[in-house]
Coordinates of all heavy atoms in Angstrom, one line a residue:
L1687 N 119.5 37.9 -39.2 CA 119.9 38.8 -40.3 C 120.1 40.2 -39.8 O 121.0 40.9 -40.2 CB 118.9 38.8 -41.4 CG 118.8 37.5 -42.2 CD1 117.7 37.5 -43.2 CD2 120.1 37.2 -42.9
E1688 N 119.3 40.6 -38.8 CA 119.4 42.0 -38.2 C 120.8 42.2 -37.6 O 121.3 43.2 -37.6 CB 118.3 42.2 -37.3 CG 117.0 42.7 -38.0 CD 115.8 42.7 -37.1 OE1 115.9 42.3 -36.0 OE2 114.7 43.1 -37.6
S1689 N 121.3 41.1 -36.9 CA 122.6 41.2 -36.2 C 123.7 41.3 -37.3 O 124.8 41.8 -36.9 CB 122.8 40.0 -35.3 OG 123.2 38.9 -36.1
S1690 N 123.5 40.9 -38.5 CA 124.3 41.1 -39.7 C 125.8 41.0 -39.5 O 126.6 41.9 -39.7 CB 124.0 42.4 -40.4 OG 124.8 43.5 -40.0
D1691 N 126.3 39.8 -39.1 CA 127.7 39.5 -39.2 C 128.0 38.5 -40.3 O 127.0 38.1 -41.0 CB 128.3 39.0 -37.8 CG 127.6 37.7 -37.4 OD1 127.0 37.0 -38.3 OD2 127.6 37.4 -36.2
G1692 N 129.2 38.1 -40.6 CA 129.5 37.3 -41.8 C 128.8 36.0 -41.9 O 128.2 35.7 -42.9
D1693 N 128.7 35.3 -40.8 CA 128.0 34.0 -40.7 C 126.5 34.1 -41.2 O 126.0 33.3 -41.9 CB 128.0 33.4 -39.3 CG 129.0 32.4 -39.2 OD1 129.9 32.4 -40.1 OD2 129.0 31.6 -38.2
D1694 N 125.9 35.2 -40.7 CA 124.5 35.3 -41.0 C 124.2 35.6 -42.5 O 123.2 35.2 -43.1 CB 123.9 36.4 -40.1 CG 123.9 35.9 -38.7 OD1 123.7 34.7 -38.5 OD2 124.0 36.8 -37.8
L1695 N 125.2 36.4 -43.1 CA 125.0 36.6 -44.5 C 125.1 35.3 -45.3 O 124.4 35.1 -46.3 CB 126.1 37.6 -45.0 CG 125.8 39.1 -44.7 CD1 127.0 39.9 -45.0 CD2 124.6 39.6 -45.4
E1696 N 125.9 34.4 -44.8 CA 126.0 33.1 -45.5 C 124.7 32.4 -45.4 O 124.3 31.7 -46.3 CB 127.2 32.3 -44.8 CG 127.8 31.3 -45.7 CD 128.9 30.6 -45.0 OE1 130.0 31.2 -44.9 OE2 128.7 29.5 -44.5
A1697 N 124.1 32.5 -44.2 CA 122.8 31.8 -44.0 C 121.7 32.3 -44.7 O 120.6 31.7 -44.9 CB 122.5 31.8 -42.5
R1698 N 121.8 33.6 -45.3 CA 120.7 34.2 -45.9 C 120.2 33.5 -47.1 O 119.0 33.3 -47.4 CB 121.1 35.7 -46.3 CG 119.9 36.5 -46.8 CD 120.5 37.6 -47.6 NE 121.3 38.5 -46.8 CZ 120.9 39.7 -46.3 NH1 119.6 40.0 -46.5 NH2 121.6 40.4 -45.6
V1699 N 121.1 33.0 -47.9 CA 120.7 32.4 -49.2 C 119.8 31.2 -49.0 O 118.7 31.1 -49.5 CB 121.9 32.0 -50.1 CG1 121.5 31.3 -51.3 CG2 122.6 33.3 -50.4
P1700 N 120.2 30.2 -48.2 CA 119.3 29.0 -48.0 C 118.0 29.5 -47.3 O 117.0 28.9 -47.5 CB 120.1 28.1 -47.1 CG 121.3 28.8 -46.7 CD 121.5 29.9 -47.6
G1701 N 118.1 30.4 -46.4 CA 116.9 30.9 -45.7 C 115.9 31.4 -46.6 O 114.7 31.1 -46.6
E1702 N 116.3 32.2 -47.7 CA 115.4 32.8 -48.6 C 114.7 31.7 -49.5 O 113.6 31.8 -49.9 CB 116.2 33.7 -49.6 CG 116.4 35.1 -49.0 CD 117.3 35.9 -49.8 OE1 117.8 35.4 -50.8 OE2 117.4 37.1 -49.5
A1703 N 115.5 30.6 -49.6 CA 115.0 29.5 -50.5 C 113.9 28.6 -49.8 O 113.3 27.8 -50.4 CB 116.1 28.6 -51.0
M1704 N 113.8 28.8 -48.5 CA 113.0 27.9 -47.7 C 111.6 27.5 -48.3 O 111.3 26.4 -48.5 CB 112.7 28.5 -46.3 CG 113.7 28.1 -45.3 SD 113.4 28.8 -43.8 CE 111.9 27.9 -43.4
G1705 N 110.9 28.6 -48.6 CA 109.5 28.3 -49.1 C 109.4 27.9 -50.5 O 108.4 27.4 -50.9

Side-chain angles (χ1 to χ4, degrees):
L1687 290 173
E1688 274 167 357
S1689 75
S1690 97
D1691 58 23
D1693 258 18
D1694 292 328
L1695 279 174
E1696 207 179 278
R1698 187 200 297 261
V1699 175
E1702 280 174 352
M1704 270 181 68

